[in-house]
Amino acid sequence: MPPKVKKVEGSEAKAVFSVIGMTCSACAGSVEKAIKQLPGIRKAVVDVLNNRAQVLYHPNFVNEETICKTIENVGFQATIISDTSERSIQVCKIHINGMTCTSCSSTIESALQALPGVQRAQVALATEEAEVHYSPKTVSYNQLLEVIENTGFEAILVSTGEDITKIELKVDGVDTDHTVRMIEKSLQAIPGVQEIVIYPELNKVSIFYKPDMTGPRVFISVIESNGHFKAMIYPKEGGREAFRQEEIKQYYKFLLWSLLFTIPVFLTSMVFMYIPGLRYVLDMKVINTLSIGMVIRWELSTPVQFIIGRRFYIGSYKALRHGSANMDVLIVLGTNAAYFYSVYSLLRSAYSKDFKGTDFFETSSMLISFILLGKYLEVLAKGRTSEAIAKLMDLTPETAILLTLDDEGNVVSEEEIDGRLIQKNDVIKIIPGAKIAADGNVLWGDSHVNESMITGEARPVAKRTGDTVIGGTVNENGVLHIKATRVGSESALSQIVRLVESAQMAKAPVQKFADRVSKYFVPLVIIFSFSTWFAWFLAGRFHGYPKSWIPDSMSSFELALQFGISVMVIACPCALGLATPTAVMVGTGVGASQGVLIKGGQALESAHKVNCIIFDKTGTLTVGKPVVVNTHLLQNMVLGEFYVLIAATEVNSEHPLAKAIVEYAKNFIEDKGNPSWPEARDFISITGHGVKASVKNKEIIVGNKSLMLEQNIAIPLDAEDMLAEAEGKAQTGILVSIDRAVAGVVAISDPLKPGAEEVISILKSMKIRSIVVTGDNWGTANSIAKEVGIETVIAEAKPEDKAEKVREFQASGYTVAMVGDGINDSPALVAADVGMAIGAGTDIAIEAADIVLMKSNLEDVITAIDLSRKSFQRIRLNYIWALGYNFLGIPIAAGALFPSTGLRLPPWIAGAAMAASSVSVVCSSLLLKYYKRPRKLDNLEIHGIKIE
């Protein structure tokens, strides 16, 4: 993503980056050094504490993208910093009507990227949407819409930015300029309101706002406080699905009208000619050799050609105007050749007594009808490829029960409101069987919540006071009162929808092949079509083939014309253009439904090549929640007293091992819910070693072996043996010193996730090498690796070391996936070919990862790789079909088999084949919807192993 840019005095520019993955001053130093080596850099300051870099540079010598890439080459990720005062980069989404092939999408993409202020533009043919990263200071979204419409397509704004929420209100009484200004002024005074758009003719007010600062009930209250207006939520219009349904209706209407005229044309030319009585009527002459049948076909085919087929003329004109050629050009050339030659035959027949010509009116009208049928089936099928997003968006409940509480937290009243009116910090009542209306924390109640629709986890999750809940999930039993913490665009559901939408927009590298082919495909087909006609025409003119080859109703010129038209209309660039994006759409949608969020075609393509996976240990192979498993006392004292002393010391530490000790110590006191520990004085935390404090006038030191040696505390042989024994069992040994004598050893274990060994075994069967990397000691790391069956171990590794190890394996020829928690492992996640963040839960905005695994299930690593392999197999199959169809179909249409077999494809059959090819590619991609994860994973559950 491009950085935030802010102009400063003179010719310099100032860029502020967020740098993900820095852990120490060495990281900051490496980033700063790399930036300063670039030409045109005046100053670079890297703040490791706030994870940001500020750069002053000369735009004539270096740009923001180069700085971004430089930071990423060091092993970190550079992203834009959000600003509360101004947004220098916005992400605009636009729905585009009228695209038919990759040539159309490439034309729009090029036009958008040529605009000053546009950082990046992606146009997806399958979703019919554009995603544009732009600077609102330089270009407005209205200009973006105008550019798209100038290229010949209809543009409809979907959203103007990711960091804001949009709400639409219906306001009665907005009918004059004065009332419009009154509403604008009152709304602009509200903190957090970003933009206001008023449509007086629709009584609609669109408000873009920051949900953490304000909300829709505030807007309604402010509007109605004037006394002249009544405001309410605007009825839903359906969004993307509404566009899709409208498109389906349009194609259906055009198809019906086309068939209404085409069927009689087909009957008069192909059927009635074999019925004696009707043939006599149709062959009756109107003037000279002009028959009634020819006149009827001309009258019926003309509306099809110029009224129903008008969309193809408009599309081809706009494409040619911008120097490109698309499928519309082929259709217009093919149908025009058939239609205008038929008009020529009709006029010659009217003015000549001995002219015997054939008309092809049925060819032009049937071609258009079959193409419309294909387009109708295609939009129906493409609608199904985006069902995943539609299902996610439908999870939001229509209504919610809003509670009003008094100062003591008692419920005063409850009110049912529209779900879109929920604001941050609202208290919502969730009854059994209802959907949870927003992300939040449980204030009161106990229940089980079905989160399968978000995380893919089938089993209901217990929820009680203090637990977090996700909007869109279903409350199974019990009443809950929750406090809304994230609403609108901030909610987990909105982020997931946005992530899946972005994934479906992103092109896979293999798509570049189709884009390159599409640039030359249509011009080459036109050349080949004219060459085919010319070759057959010359062969007929100079008697290059027997006269018996020419059908009775045709001349050699007409036979050549039919071959040329067939070549032109059978060629299909659409199938090539749809081969990759439709498979990516369905694949990412299926992944989302199973809790595996794949961030686009790049991740999908890279994941299918993975042959080496590096696992972080803590929280990935292990549960990530250390627990005390053993205690050895070396002094004569009560175990409870021992734990009270070290808990009083460790309660001041945030380290996971300290928390495990404190949690275990609660077993030795009466009030476990509200423990009270003795006061710890002179507390010192020694990073990476342990802690030290004075409790009850005793000096307590808790830590590892090196800390004891630093403090000149002798370690007894018994303690040494206990530490070695703990390491051998994949446990961490903690030494406890009381008054400078080792009093005991505490063994802490972070247990393996159930089924981890089986997952590693399945990966081996998939010919994928597994490696464990950890910052823990070698003894614990080797023990864990041996237990799960991993042979390669990297221990005592810092975050930057992990990234370096990833690069070493890549240099050895491996395609590497890194599986970690997405926080400490950010440098390695970025460096890997595929970064997988596991156990992300509701925090799905992990920029470093290519794939986000919503659950903590190790099995989802296998699901992600297997799904990517299946998706890419489908992409390959689609390309084989699309290319094979053209390579076989074009020669047959050109008459390659005609001399030996007499097989000839009439243009209308060629057109039907062309329409069928696009539909077949989309249907092929839709088969991915029936994806099933590998049976070996199901067998794990059958045998009682539930991986979580």
Side-chain angles (χ1 to χ4, degrees), residues 230 501 506 559 581 613 663 681:
K230 180 70 177 174
E501 284 180 336
L559 179 65
I613 298 182
E663 191 63 31
R681 297 181 178 180

Side-chain angles (χ1 to χ4, degrees), residues 92 166 518 566 634 718 772:
C92 178
K166 176 185 175 183
S518 69
S566 294
L634 300 176
D718 288 348
V772 63

Side-chain angles (χ1 to χ4, degrees), residues 299-477:
E299 290 177 341
L300 291 171
S301 64
T302 299
V304 177
Q305 183 70 32
F306 297 109
I307 299 176
I308 297 168
R310 179 172 175 266
R311 62 186 300 115
F312 302 119
Y313 283 96
I314 294 172
S316 59
Y317 165 71
K318 290 176 177 177
L320 292 171
R321 191 180 67 177
H322 289 89
S324 64
N326 58 10
M327 192 192 74
D328 289 338
V329 174
L330 296 178
I331 295 170
V332 167
L333 286 173
T335 56
N336 273 353
Y339 178 83
F340 285 108
Y341 177 77
S342 301
V343 170
Y344 164 77
S345 295
L346 182 144
L347 294 174
R348 280 288 304 273
S349 299
Y351 289 100
S352 174
K353 295 181 179 181
D354 54 1
F355 177 76
K356 291 183 179 180
T358 305
D359 68 88
F360 299 126
F361 287 120
E362 79 285 349
T363 295
S364 65
S365 56
M366 289 175 71
L367 260 176
I368 290 172
S369 295
F370 274 116
I371 290 163
L372 288 173
L373 173 62
K375 281 291 177 186
Y376 173 67
L377 295 175
E378 186 183 315
V379 294
L380 279 177
K382 278 163 65 177
R384 293 188 62 196
T385 62
S386 57
E387 280 182 358
I389 290 178
K391 287 179 180 177
L392 283 170
M393 295 179 77
D394 286 342
L395 292 177
T396 307
E398 295 286 334
T399 60
I401 300 173
L402 177 68
L403 299 179
T404 303
L405 308 181
D406 60 20
D407 294 338
E408 297 179 358
N410 300 315
V411 177
V412 176
S413 64
E414 59 181 61
E415 175 190 2
E416 186 173 22
I417 63 171
D418 190 300
R420 291 170 289 174
L421 288 175
I422 296 174
Q423 297 179 183
K424 192 173 181 179
N425 297 323
D426 280 346
V427 178
I428 309 296
K429 178 181 178 181
I430 314 295
I431 61 175
K435 291 179 182 177
I436 293 173
D439 294 0
N441 298 321
V442 178
L443 295 180
W444 177 88
D446 293 288
S447 184
H448 285 79
V449 174
N450 181 356
E451 297 182 345
S452 61
M453 61 290 298
I454 300 291
T455 66
E457 176 57 63
R459 293 185 301 175
V461 181
K463 299 291 180 183
R464 55 184 60 87
T465 303
D467 289 343
T468 58
V469 291
I470 309 172
T473 55
V474 178
N475 182 25
E476 299 254 318
N477 51 27

Side-chain angles (χ1 to χ4, degrees), residues 804-825:
E804 189 57 39
K805 289 296 179 183
V806 167
R807 294 190 190 94
E808 286 179 14
F809 283 106
Q810 288 171 328
S812 301
Y814 286 102
T815 300
V816 180
M818 173 69 195
V819 185
D821 59 15
I823 302 167
N824 296 328
D825 304 308

Side-chain angles (χ1 to χ4, degrees), residues 637 639-651 665 677-678 680 693-698 700 702 736 738:
M637 64 186 303
L639 188 62
E641 182 186 354
F642 173 78
Y643 268 106
V644 166
L645 289 173
I646 58 176
T649 306
E650 293 281 28
V651 75
W677 307 108
S694 177
V695 180
K696 292 185 176 180
N697 296 321
K698 291 184 172 69
I700 311 296
V702 185
V736 180
I738 300 177

Side-chain angles (χ1 to χ4, degrees), residues 109-310:
E109 214 167 80
S110 300
L112 287 169
Q113 288 177 337
L115 269 178
V118 171
Q119 301 284 342
R120 189 173 79 222
Q122 287 182 316
V123 180
L125 176 64
T127 60
E128 296 181 332
E129 283 189 357
E131 184 177 273
V132 188
H133 295 246
Y134 70 103
S135 170
K137 291 181 179 180
T138 310
V139 63
S140 69
Y141 63 79
N142 285 322
Q143 288 174 288
L144 302 177
L145 298 175
E146 187 179 340
V147 165
I148 294 172
E149 288 177 352
N150 286 340
T151 58
F153 302 91
E154 182 185 0
I156 302 168
L157 183 67
V158 176
S159 66
T160 59
E162 284 187 359
D163 57 340
I164 54 176
T165 297
K166 176 185 175 183
I167 190 74
E168 292 181 335
L169 302 178
K170 183 178 181 182
V171 182
D172 294 330
V174 185
D175 48 13
T176 65
D177 290 342
H178 175 68
T179 55
V180 168
R181 286 194 298 272
M182 189 185 299
I183 288 178
E184 274 185 344
K185 188 175 180 181
S186 57
L187 290 174
Q188 284 170 349
I190 302 172
V193 171
Q194 300 289 301
E195 188 176 353
I196 303 159
V197 182
I198 299 178
Y199 306 89
E201 68 280 3
L202 300 174
N203 289 334
K204 182 165 75 173
V205 178
S206 294
I207 306 166
F208 297 87
Y209 66 98
K210 294 193 173 183
D212 59 336
M213 298 179 69
T214 186
R217 294 204 310 280
V218 174
F219 307 147
I220 291 174
S221 175
V222 167
I223 291 171
E224 292 184 344
S225 66
N226 290 314
H228 300 91
F229 310 107
K230 180 70 177 174
M232 60 182 287
I233 292 286
Y234 205 84
K236 284 187 177 181
E237 296 179 349
R240 177 190 290 189
E241 186 58 26
F243 292 134
R244 183 76 66 194
Q245 291 301 322
E246 182 61 30
E247 188 179 25
I248 290 170
K249 284 180 183 178
Q250 281 187 359
Y251 274 115
Y252 182 67
K253 181 179 72 174
F254 280 121
L255 176 62
L256 286 183
W257 277 107
S258 181
L259 290 175
L260 184 67
F261 290 100
T262 301
I263 290 174
V265 173
F266 171 76
L267 293 174
T268 57
S269 61
M270 303 285 188
V271 179
F272 293 165
M273 301 306 293
Y274 298 98
I275 301 174
L278 292 174
R279 179 174 182 174
Y280 174 77
V281 174
L282 293 173
D283 282 345
M284 288 177 62
K285 307 304 177 187
V286 178
I287 182 172
N288 292 328
T289 58
L290 178 62
S291 65
I292 290 176
M294 189 179 287
V295 173
I296 292 173
R297 288 191 290 274
W298 172 55
E299 290 177 341
L300 291 171
S301 64
T302 299
V304 177
Q305 183 70 32
F306 297 109
I307 299 176
I308 297 168
R310 179 172 175 266

